[in-house]
Amino acid sequence: MLRYLLAGESHGPALVGILEGFPAGLIIKNSFVDTELALRQQGYGRGPRMQSIEKDAVEFLSGFWKGRTLGSPIAFKIPNLDFELRQRTGQKAQRWQVPRPGHADFPGVVRHDFDDCAPVAERASARSTAATTAAGACAKALLAQFGITVFSHTRGVGPVLADGGDPTVARLRRIRSHRPLRCLDARAEKEMVALIDQAMEQGVTLGGEFEVLASGVPVGLGTYCHSDRRLDALLAEDVMAIPAVKAVSIGAGLEIASVDGQNAHDEMLPAEERSSGRPSVGGRPTLGSGFVRTTNRAGGLEGGITNGEPVVVRGFVKPISSQRKRLQSINLKTGKPDLAAWVRSDTCVVPAAGIVGEAVVAWRLASELTTFLGSADLKTMKRRFLEL
Ligand code: EPS
């Protein structure tokens, strides 16, 4: 099992994390983590802070010896460059009394007895997801040792939905870094970009949908034996905990509710029938061979256990509440109607949320894998994996 604790305020000196449970002997390159951090920062529709102030980079503080993990807790930090900028230019922390509807501002003030929304936003801010991404990158480095990859793509922005065909690992890898929204459907992506431009001009924000696919996952992670160990439930919790996510689905998700039982499952067919059927999501043959599935409606999870097909999780993101066209709210000091606070914000965070989705899915799968294989050292884990 892996555990982590993350901390840090959006405009404080740094985000920090402690990761526990990694085996000894793993190489985690800073450059790999930084590439993941950069992907989270990018994506069309990000605001001024992401575009021109931050350049997220991880600093490992403990847990390594001669470039490999020790099996002891890993500590890291990601400095907030916005903090340094504020120090240099003498900018004071912002204060505001008019909560943004949809943000944690109002319930956070009540919950923690603050007289101002700023302290709520400091920790409720999605800035914290940079640390989540760094933790997830460490998990990805471990999963890579077992041939497991975790990638995401944007399925929708506002009302525009992609029709991108089969999200194979090769295609997901290809669109990873040079497409504005990491969308498999180039035509829909153009429409999405135009929609974001329009929203930016109007001072409003846009939500959407991302999908995370984990390929190469062995059969048998998770269990149906108790509700809090079902892997589908745990993944749903992980993705739901990403700021701005309002719904999560596994595999075909919501679409399953409206079809009959003949069209809701993934039949197991003799291996030779694979070529005649629709390729499975992720395009990877089922482990254990002898049979194949030509669909993956279950999203790689049956009874809360991985079944060897790619694990597929979708997240549905609301349009973020900070927007230039300010919403009606109440001034907490005067009790009078007022317009919600706004200083600067992103317009669309769907691709960024997809990268965070990858991070949390990777973390959960790596955690389950260490439970499955033991985690004292990488060599033993690999030997046990080959015996599966
Ligand atoms: C965020 C508000 C903005 C975003 C921030 C999330 O920050 P600021 O208040 O400093 O303008 O830039 O996102 C990040 C900093 C990030 O790293 O993703 C919010 O209120 O959630």
Side-chain angles (χ1 to χ4, degrees):
M1 190 185 81
L2 300 181
R3 300 184 293 173
Y4 69 58
L5 261 185
L6 307 176
E9 277 71 55
S10 179
H11 305 98
L15 301 168
V16 297
I18 295 184
L19 318 178
E20 199 270 331
F22 278 80
L26 177 68
I27 295 173
I28 305 175
K29 291 192 173 149
N30 287 53
S31 58
F32 172 67
V33 180
D34 291 349
T35 302
E36 298 289 299
L37 291 173
L39 282 170
R40 191 200 67 93
Q41 267 194 247
Q42 296 155 8
Y44 201 75
R46 290 292 249 161
R49 179 166 174 194
M50 283 301 98
Q51 285 182 32
S52 52
I53 299 176
E54 302 297 343
K55 195 170 186 328
D56 291 337
V58 73
E59 286 175 35
F60 286 113
L61 306 171
S62 78
F64 291 85
W65 185 256
K66 296 184 178 171
R68 287 181 189 267
T69 52
L70 280 166
S72 52
I74 295 169
F76 72 79
K77 77 170 186 180
I78 303 169
N80 284 329
L81 301 189
D82 193 68
F83 175 79
E84 291 171 25
L85 180 70
R86 279 165 195 250
Q87 297 280 97
R88 264 201 320 275
T89 55
Q91 281 179 66
K92 289 251 165 7
Q94 200 196 338
R95 287 176 66 84
W96 72 92
Q97 262 89 24
V98 190
R100 295 160 294 177
H103 212 285
D105 295 353
F106 168 68
V109 162
V110 176
R111 174 75 177 86
H112 295 287
D113 196 23
F114 294 132
D115 59 359
D116 172 8
C117 301
V120 176
E122 280 302 322
R123 185 61 191 156
S125 164
R127 176 71 190 142
S128 66
T129 61
T132 312
T133 303
C138 295
K140 281 186 181 182
L142 178 58
L143 293 176
Q145 295 293 319
F146 302 90
I148 302 170
T149 56
V150 186
F151 292 125
S152 66
H153 63 111
T154 296
R155 277 175 51 90
V157 166
V160 181
L161 288 179
D163 180 11
D166 200 18
T168 61
V169 171
R171 294 186 69 213
L172 291 170
R173 221 188 268 282
R174 224 176 298 134
I175 60 157
R176 194 151 176 75
S177 54
H178 59 278
R179 291 277 283 272
L181 293 166
R182 263 196 343 282
C183 177
L184 289 167
D185 179 343
R187 218 169 45 186
E189 191 172 47
K190 260 192 187 158
E191 271 184 67
M192 293 173 188
V193 165
L195 204 64
I196 293 170
D197 283 339
Q198 199 183 30
M200 227 179 270
E201 230 166 78
Q202 294 168 347
V204 302
T205 54
L206 288 168
E209 180 185 338
F210 65 82
E211 182 174 78
V212 178
L213 289 104
S215 300
V217 182
V219 182
L221 303 187
T223 174
Y224 51 80
C225 290
H226 198 268
S227 58
D228 63 1
R229 292 174 60 205
R230 289 181 74 108
L231 188 49
D232 46 5
L234 294 169
L235 286 166
E237 177 185 329
D238 295 331
V239 175
M240 187 62 110
I242 298 170
V245 168
K246 293 301 277 184
V248 182
S249 73
I250 306 271
L254 310 185
E255 294 150 31
I256 286 293
S258 56
V259 296
D260 66 31
Q262 291 293 302
N263 295 293
H265 304 288
D266 308 303
E267 290 184 283
M268 301 164 84
L269 306 169
E272 58 271 19
E273 286 193 27
R274 180 180 177 77
S275 52
S276 60
R278 208 174 70 76
S280 75
V281 176
R284 183 177 178 282
T286 305
L287 290 179
S289 46
F291 70 92
V292 290
R293 310 218 194 198
T294 56
T295 55
N296 183 20
R297 291 156 174 147
L301 286 148
E302 291 172 309
I305 310 177
T306 55
N307 65 4
E309 293 293 313
V311 169
V312 184
V313 189
R314 293 177 190 165
F316 299 81
V317 179
K318 69 182 177 186
I320 59 164
S321 52
S322 289
Q323 44 200 320
R324 204 174 70 242
K325 191 168 174 187
R326 300 187 288 162
L327 296 173
Q328 279 294 338
S329 183
I330 296 290
N331 187 310
L332 296 178
K333 211 167 177 185
T334 63
K336 298 237 163 69
D338 206 341
L339 291 175
W342 184 80
V343 177
R344 63 184 180 193
S345 72
D346 302 308
T347 302
C348 177
V349 296
V350 178
I355 296 294
V356 184
E358 291 179 18
V360 299
V361 168
W363 183 272
R364 181 60 68 181
L365 293 176
S367 178
E368 290 293 327
L369 197 70
T370 55
T371 302
F372 205 70
L373 300 172
S375 64
D377 71 282
L378 185 61
K379 240 189 253 167
T380 307
M381 281 182 82
K382 281 183 158 179
R383 184 168 42 73
R384 290 180 182 157
F385 188 75
L386 290 175
E387 287 163 7
L388 290 179

